[in-house]
Amino acid sequence: MPYKRILVRATNWLGDAVMSLPALRALRERFPEAEIAILAKPWVADLYHREPFCDRMIPYTSTTAGEKWSAGRALAREKFDCAILLQNAFEAAAIAYLAGIPERIGYARDGRSWLLTRAIAVPRKGEIPRHERFYYLELLHRAGLLDTLPENDRIRLEGASAARAAGLARFHELGMTGAVVGMSPGAAYGTAKRWLPERFAEAATSVAGELGASVAIFGSKDERELCHAIAAAISVPVHNFAGETTLAEYIDLAAACRVYLTNDSGGMHVASALGVPTVAIFGATDDISTGPTGPLARVVREPVECSPCLKRECPIDHRCMTRVSADRVAKVALDLLK
């Protein structure tokens, strides 16, 4: 069916939103003339604003039952002919149902199948490649919107060059005129995903020293103290941006970094999708499923018997992270730049 107005309910987490980019690009290729509007939480909305598959952003801020009802009724006035739910929650299907969108496509999860016109069976283990980008592509494939998965399924942000130009201009305003080593030492899911702060400081100092660079540290406002402690331990010029940037500003600055050191985090996914050489330290989580992709991404992990455990907090000695040295991460980063 040649849909003319498509509503996409975006995922709520930044990393998931980045991993869904190939599906959104494939959707645009399948429906080049359609208007594609993306309904997204404010904290992920800026990811899409330079992307050619996005014609319009609709912010989703509803929290109470009344607000959600109102949001659904407001969407009804838009006369969308198809809703594609990348988010798995019951609520996403309920909003599309309230909006009266005639075609509602999503995975059969969270007890919501009766609200969908096409409830798609969730892929079983081994049916599709393990990386999460295929989970979103397969939704379109099983719904009949893609005949085959696209040959180019790379995760990339098309607006990277514009972002880099804006980021370089901002760095220059701040007096950061040379190369910049970017860093995301936090991780929203839990401390099990975090490499040791002092080793981030040591690795960044080593890499920046070799490059004649300064260091930019990024994180949320809740990570400000962590980032401040790391900044204090770095012996080259450093700026702590934690809690100071919107997502749009962060994307620009990350794009302008020469190399990026990071835990498994939303920042990792963004930096990699921007084509920035990215070194990601993995421990508790599975890099095969959620790691960075592309020729400029490298994963550093220590093979220990209990990893990946997918726990928020390590119940023992955090050996998956404590056995990764700063020298090892710095060497991977510098080798990546050769």
Side-chain angles (χ1 to χ4, degrees):
M1 181 181 290
Y3 299 124
K4 292 183 170 59
R5 307 197 70 213
I6 301 170
L7 179 73
V8 176
R9 174 63 166 96
T11 64
N12 284 351
W13 292 96
L14 181 57
D16 294 338
V18 174
M19 289 186 285
S20 72
L21 290 172
L24 288 163
R25 193 166 69 241
L27 186 68
R28 167 56 75 210
E29 290 169 3
R30 174 67 179 80
F31 299 104
E33 302 302 321
E35 181 195 30
I36 299 176
I38 299 182
L39 182 69
K41 292 285 191 178
W43 54 83
V44 298
D46 284 340
L47 182 71
Y48 306 105
H49 78 282
R50 288 194 184 100
E51 299 307 295
F53 56 71
C54 177
D55 294 306
R56 184 159 59 103
M57 283 302 314
I58 302 175
Y60 183 67
T61 58
S62 303
T63 55
T64 67
E67 287 171 344
K68 291 170 186 177
W69 173 269
S70 297
R73 300 319 300 156
L75 287 170
R77 295 192 286 273
E78 300 272 1
K79 304 295 184 187
F80 289 108
D81 45 28
C82 177
I84 296 171
L85 310 179
L86 300 182
Q87 197 211 11
N88 293 317
F90 180 90
E91 177 188 318
I95 293 295
Y97 179 84
L98 284 171
I101 300 172
E103 192 77 88
R104 302 181 297 279
I105 300 167
Y107 278 124
R109 300 187 63 167
D110 208 29
R112 67 185 190 170
S113 294
W114 62 281
L115 293 169
L116 302 173
T117 57
R118 274 193 269 178
I120 307 301
V122 177
R124 291 193 298 271
K125 187 174 181 178
E127 286 187 335
I128 61 173
R130 278 170 59 190
H131 197 275
E132 194 171 322
R133 70 186 185 277
F134 296 105
Y135 176 80
Y136 301 110
L137 284 163
E138 186 66 9
L139 174 66
L140 303 183
H141 182 220
R142 293 188 178 199
L145 303 184
L146 298 180
D147 294 331
T148 58
L149 298 187
E151 287 186 20
N152 186 349
D153 58 24
R154 286 264 307 275
I155 299 175
R156 66 178 190 266
L157 282 162
E158 304 286 354
S161 58
R164 184 172 186 273
L168 286 171
R170 180 63 182 139
F171 278 145
H172 286 176
E173 287 174 12
L174 296 168
M176 301 169 73
T177 54
V180 177
V181 175
M183 183 201 301
S184 284
Y189 182 73
T191 60
K193 290 169 68 170
R194 291 183 182 178
W195 193 39
L196 283 65
E198 62 272 19
R199 294 192 192 169
F200 263 116
E202 188 181 341
T205 299
S206 177
V207 174
E210 285 286 332
L211 299 177
S214 55
V215 175
I217 308 178
F218 300 99
S220 68
K221 64 179 185 297
D222 293 336
E223 295 162 347
R224 178 83 183 169
E225 193 173 319
L226 167 72
C227 295
H228 177 74
I230 293 171
I234 290 175
S235 56
V236 298
V238 59
H239 189 108
N240 179 11
F241 289 95
E244 293 183 356
T245 61
T246 63
L247 176 57
E249 291 165 341
Y250 165 70
I251 290 170
D252 291 350
L253 294 169
C257 290
R258 182 71 185 87
V259 65
Y260 207 92
L261 311 180
T262 176
N263 293 317
D264 174 15
S265 64
M268 173 198 75
H269 289 288
V270 170
S272 176
L274 288 164
V276 177
T278 301
V279 179
I281 303 100
F282 269 73
T285 48
D286 181 8
D287 60 285
I288 304 300
S289 297
T290 61
T293 63
L296 295 178
R298 297 289 183 274
V299 169
V300 177
R301 74 175 309 140
E302 181 67 19
V304 296
E305 65 282 358
C306 51
S307 172
C309 65
L310 307 183
K311 289 180 164 63
R312 286 181 179 269
E313 314 293 336
C314 178
I316 50 171
D317 56 8
H318 212 195
R319 64 190 65 173
C320 62
M321 288 299 195
T322 59
R323 294 183 188 178
V324 176
S325 70
D327 285 346
R328 180 175 164 191
V329 170
K331 183 178 187 306
V332 170
L334 292 168
D335 287 349
L336 183 55
L337 295 176
K338 287 179 181 174

